Structure formats: C-alpha cells, structure tokens
C-alpha cells in the first residue's frame, strides 16, 4: 500500500534506462510526464508506456496534449486537433440557414465532445493515461503563453465547452485536469521564463477567471494551478498558496479532486517568498500548501537525471525527519485518475463508428 506518491517525473528518451526504472520504482514517484522527445512513432510510444507500467502498474502516464500548438504527438496517424479557440469561434459564429438562435453554440459543444473523444482515444490506444486538459483560462487577447489555447473570453462559454470536451475524454476512458487555476489568461508574462503578477482583486478573479472552477466542481477530476502571483490575495504564486488551494479552490469552490503543481522547473516556481528554492523545497511548498502531486519536467536530460535523484532523496529525508507528512487522501485522488480499462487497439479505433463520427464533427 503506497502512502502517497506525489512526484511526477520525466524520462529522457524513447525507452527506459536502468536508472529510470529504479527512479520509477521509488515509492515517492507517482507518475511520468511525456514530451515530444519521448515520441518516435506509435509503436515506440506504446512500448515505452508498457515499460513504465511494467515497473509499477499504478504509475500515472500523463502528457500535455491539448490540441492546437500544445500537442506532443503529431505524426504517425495522430489527429491534428484544432486549438480550443476554434470551438469558441464556432460558438460565436452566425447561425446556418434555417437554424435557430443558439444553434452554433450547440454545434460547438458537440464538436468539443468529439475533440475530447479523439484526443483521449488516440492517447489511450498508445497506453497514455491522462492529458493535462482542458485549459480553463479566459482569452483576454493579452497572454502570449495562453492565446488560442483558451476557448473564449466569456467564463460561461469556457465552462460549457470544457464540460463538453471532458465528456469526450470520459467516453474515451480518460480523466481530466483543468488549468491554470485561478486563471493565467490576464497576465502577459510567460511563467516558463518570468513570474507573472496579476494585480486584480479576489472578487474580480472569482467573478471571471475562477468561475469555471466553481461551475465545474462536480466534473473536474484534477486541477493545475498557475505559477502566477496575485498580490491582492497572496504573496506566493497560486500553486504554493494555502489561501488559493485550500480556502478558495477546496472550500469556497468545492473542488474535491487532485491538485497537480505546474512544472516546478519553470522560472516562476523557483522563487518563493523572495528567495531561490531547490526543486525539493518547491515540491514541499506545493504539497504543504495543499497540492497532491508535484510535476518536475525536463530534468532527466540534465546530468543524467541528477536533479530528479536529488529531489527524491530530499523528499525522502523530509518524510523521515517529519518535515512532511504523506497524505493518503492525495494518493486516493492520484489513483482515481488511472483509467479503469485498457484503451482500444489503434486499428480497431480507426474503424469504430464513434471515432469516425467524432473526426467528421471536428471544426
């Protein structure tokens, strides 16, 4: 029985090394996040996923696969999914001849469900468990890092399109993860490179950007907070803030699912309370604030994965020394994200009616 396996780490290449197998076997490691460098073709990806599950069947295999410009696997049969903004544009388009008011909105929700199904089914056919989708950020037309990854500017439209996409994911056997709580769409800065600051009040953020999280509190299985500082609410970025994760997300908005940190190697995650922190310190800060899992990206390619080994060691030490208490509820939330059944075989999927219909329904 694992008490709590919070670390989601990456692997370097197309297949596992001995060192990576040892890392993945560690009881504090709960999953893997895949990148384009882990992709050669479907056969290779399927083998890699099998290798990971052979180490431990409960390891969660995740990827950022949203559609548009954030899609890690794009060749060997993978459908090029439209950016989420395409569904928002369809919602706002003029009704077709003879179609009543609201027709475009209904077609947009159906198309979003089709996209969720295609996205989930193709990944499940290769053995991937979870995509970090949907994006719930609002499109203010300002953010370079969000842009057309957002469905729309209106939180109600975002909510209904995201719900539709999540239904498609669910039909494919995949969970979901809303991001980036409470909202990354308003700030210009890219949190991969800098620390964005959003100076709006909590009241304004709750009425706009964070609204989808409350409206989807019964549907969302996981949430990923933004590495953004909202100084009127807390001096820490949302992912390290008890105020955001516990008071707002859990208590006020009623979210009961898993909380993933965004990538702890991003620039915005390495400075907390005005000082530079190590991965392990960032991980402990995120977990202590109320996170269930912490994501550490692109470190397997640094000095043979030394930063991952250091993080595992430091976190193990924190447990032994009593600085951090593993949380069995977090482990339950992690395990709940694992698919209940195997994905369809790719060749079977390609000729299935639901899949072919879904492809024809995409904008």
């Amino acid at each position: 029985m694992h008490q709590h396996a919070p670390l989601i780490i990456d692997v370097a290449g197309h297949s596992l090394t001995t060192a990576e197998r040892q890392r993945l076997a560690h009881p504090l490691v709960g999953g893997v996040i895949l990148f384009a460098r882990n992709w050669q073709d479907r056969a290779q990806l399927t083998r890699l996923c099998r290798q990971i599950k052979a180490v431990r069947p409960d390891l969660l295999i995740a990827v950022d696969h949203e559609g548009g410009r954030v899609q890690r696997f794009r060749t060997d049969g993978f459908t090029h999914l439209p950016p989420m903004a395409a569904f928002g544009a369809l919602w706002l388009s003029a009704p077709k001849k003879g179609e009543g008011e609201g027709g475009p909105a209904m077609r947009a929700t159906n198309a979003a469900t089709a996209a969720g199904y295609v996205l989930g089914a193709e990944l499940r056919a290769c053995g991937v468990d979870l995509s970090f989708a949907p994006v719930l950020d609002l499109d203010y037309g300002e953010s370079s890092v969000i842009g057309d990854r957002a469905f729309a500017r209106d939180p109600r439209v975002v909510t209904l399109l995201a719900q539709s996409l999540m239904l498609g994911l669910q039909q494919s056997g995949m969970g979901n993860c809303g991001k980036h709580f409470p909202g990354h769409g308003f700030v210009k800065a890219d949190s991969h490179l800098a620390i964005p600051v959003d100076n709006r009040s909590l009241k304004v953020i709750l009425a706009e950007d964070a609204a989808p999280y409350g409206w989807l509190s019964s549907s969302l299985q996981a949430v990923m907070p933004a590495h953004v500082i909202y100084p009127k609410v807390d001096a820490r970025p949302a992912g390290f803030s008890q105020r955001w994760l516990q008071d707002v997300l859990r208590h006020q908005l009623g979210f009961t699912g898993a909380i993933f940190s965004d990538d702890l190697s991003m620039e915005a995650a390495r400075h907390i309370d005005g000082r530079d922190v190590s991965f392990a310190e960032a991980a402990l800060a995120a977990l202590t604030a109320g996170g269930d899992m912490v994501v550490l990206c692109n470190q397997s390619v640094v000095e043979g994965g030394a930063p991952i080994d250091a993080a595992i060691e430091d976190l193990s030490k924190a447990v032994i020394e009593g600085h951090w208490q593993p949380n069995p509820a977090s482990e339950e939330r992690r395990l709940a994200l694992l698919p209940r059944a195997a994905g369809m075989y790719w060749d079977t999927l390609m000729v299935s009616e639901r899949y072919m219909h879904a492809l024809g329904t995409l904008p």
Side-chain angles (χ1 to χ4, degrees), residues 4 6-9 33 62 64 132 177-181 222-227 237-241 245 249-250 258-266 269 272 279 281-297:
H4 183 183
L7 289 173
I8 308 294
I9 61 174
I33 179 165
D64 278 321
F132 289 121
C177 178
K179 63 188 186 184
H180 307 82
F181 174 80
V223 162
M224 182 176 280
H227 286 325
F240 304 106
S241 160
L245 302 186
L249 183 58
R250 290 255 188 251
I259 299 175
F260 285 91
S261 78
D262 203 343
D263 173 16
L264 294 182
S265 72
M266 283 157 63
I272 305 174
F279 285 132
E281 286 177 298
L284 284 169
L287 293 166
T288 308
D292 299 301
M293 280 163 284
V294 288
V295 183
L296 193 49
C297 299

Side-chain angles (χ1 to χ4, degrees), residues 161-317:
L161 288 173
Q163 180 126 47
S164 303
L165 186 97
M166 282 152 49
L167 175 62
L169 289 173
Q170 186 187 2
Q171 288 171 347
S172 76
M174 183 172 281
N176 59 65
C177 178
K179 63 188 186 184
H180 307 82
F181 174 80
H184 202 314
F186 191 76
V187 290
K188 282 191 177 74
D190 179 347
S191 51
H192 295 80
L193 312 168
I195 310 179
V197 176
D198 186 336
N199 282 306
R200 294 175 301 161
S201 68
L202 177 59
K203 191 177 168 188
V204 168
I205 296 167
L206 285 174
E208 293 271 354
D209 303 61
Y213 293 89
W215 289 330
L216 294 169
S217 62
S218 304
S219 322
L220 280 169
Q221 287 174 281
V223 162
M224 182 176 280
H227 286 325
V228 175
I229 297 175
Y230 309 84
K232 292 209 165 76
V233 185
D234 196 343
R236 286 182 161 202
F240 304 106
S241 160
Q242 200 161 343
R243 177 105 203 265
W244 277 118
L245 302 186
Q246 303 278 5
D247 303 351
V248 180
L249 183 58
R250 290 255 188 251
H251 300 139
Q252 216 170 326
L253 300 176
F255 174 67
T256 60
I259 299 175
F260 285 91
S261 78
D262 203 343
D263 173 16
L264 294 182
S265 72
M266 283 157 63
E267 188 58 33
R270 306 309 301 280
H271 312 278
I272 305 174
D273 301 336
R275 64 185 192 90
D276 295 356
V277 294
S278 68
F279 285 132
E281 286 177 298
L284 284 169
L287 293 166
T288 308
D292 299 301
M293 280 163 284
V294 288
V295 183
L296 193 49
C297 299
N298 301 316
Q299 299 309 302
S300 62
V301 292
V302 179
E303 298 166 24
I308 302 178
D309 294 328
I312 291 172
E313 200 172 321
D314 290 353
L315 199 55
S316 305
K317 216 159 105 185

Side-chain angles (χ1 to χ4, degrees), residues 117 344 348-361:
Y117 182 74
M344 218 184 272
T348 313
L349 177 68
M350 290 299 109
V351 295
S352 75
E353 283 188 82
R354 173 177 271 171
Y355 178 78
M356 290 194 290
H357 172 72
L359 279 185
T361 311

Side-chain angles (χ1 to χ4, degrees), residues 7-90:
L7 289 173
I8 308 294
I9 61 174
D10 67 299
V11 295
H14 293 158
S15 60
L16 295 184
T17 64
T18 305
E20 285 170 342
R21 282 194 171 87
Q22 285 171 332
R23 253 173 234 144
L24 292 175
H26 195 283
L28 287 174
V29 173
V32 177
I33 179 165
L34 299 175
F35 291 92
R37 67 164 185 276
N38 302 122
W39 166 264
Q40 183 180 0
D41 53 38
R42 281 186 290 108
Q44 167 272 325
L45 178 66
T46 307
R47 272 197 308 277
L48 175 60
C49 290
R50 278 201 198 114
Q51 287 179 338
I52 292 167
K53 293 288 186 179
V55 177
R56 266 190 21 227
D58 74 291
L59 287 168
L60 185 70
I61 304 174
V63 68
D64 278 321
H65 202 85
E66 304 164 5
R69 61 198 156 91
V70 180
Q71 183 175 334
R72 302 293 182 231
F73 316 135
R74 298 168 167 269
T75 51
D76 199 15
F78 265 91
T79 303
H80 284 232
L81 293 158
M84 295 303 103
F87 301 97
L90 179 55

